[in-house]
Amino acid sequence: MHKSYFYGRQSIGEDDVKAAMDVLRGDFITTGPAVTAFEKDICAYTGAAYCVAMSSATAALHLATLAADVRPGDEVITSPITFLASANCVLYAGASVKFADICPATANIDLDEIEKQIT
């Protein structure tokens, strides 16, 4: 298959492989000093006071939805041109999902379409 058909392409170097192997050979796989160091590095890089590493972007979206206090009875508008987790996190919170199409000129969510979905 031609490489232009791939959704994304990772870049994993030998340092990355060594770091993963160090964690796999250590006492902690899903928690521990490597996670704590990563969170501290993200805080230092972004200037944020806090950082919480998540197991996946789906888990992070779910937590962000809860942090935004999305709850049953709410409606959340998103684009249908996205990964399914963008809508599922809203459903996990008990809210309803509405879709606004993208703007062909920008490939971003269309503001006029968002307005049409507001109830």
Side-chain angles (χ1 to χ4, degrees):
M1 178 178 282
H2 189 271
K3 70 178 181 178
S4 66
Y5 293 110
F6 294 119
Y7 177 72
R9 187 172 205 122
Q10 68 280 351
S11 173
I12 300 172
E14 287 305 313
D15 288 346
D16 301 314
V17 173
K18 182 186 178 315
M21 291 305 296
D22 288 346
V23 170
L24 289 170
R25 289 186 177 117
D27 293 330
F28 301 95
I29 293 178
T30 59
T31 62
V35 175
T36 302
F38 175 73
E39 290 170 340
K40 286 180 180 178
D41 287 348
I42 294 296
C43 285
Y45 182 78
T46 63
Y50 305 100
C51 171
V52 178
M54 303 297 295
S55 62
S56 67
T58 299
L61 284 169
H62 184 193
L63 187 61
T65 302
L66 297 176
D69 201 26
V70 174
R71 60 180 73 188
D74 290 343
E75 293 179 340
V76 177
I77 302 168
T78 189
S79 169
I81 310 298
T82 184
F83 191 70
L84 192 57
S86 300
N88 280 347
C89 64
V90 175
L91 298 175
Y92 298 155
S96 299
V97 179
K98 299 187 90 176
F99 294 104
D101 210 346
I102 61 166
C103 172
T106 66
N108 292 314
I109 196 166
D110 189 314
L111 298 179
D112 292 332
E113 293 297 318
I114 291 174
E115 285 186 18
K116 290 178 188 176
Q117 294 298 327
I118 296 173
T119 57

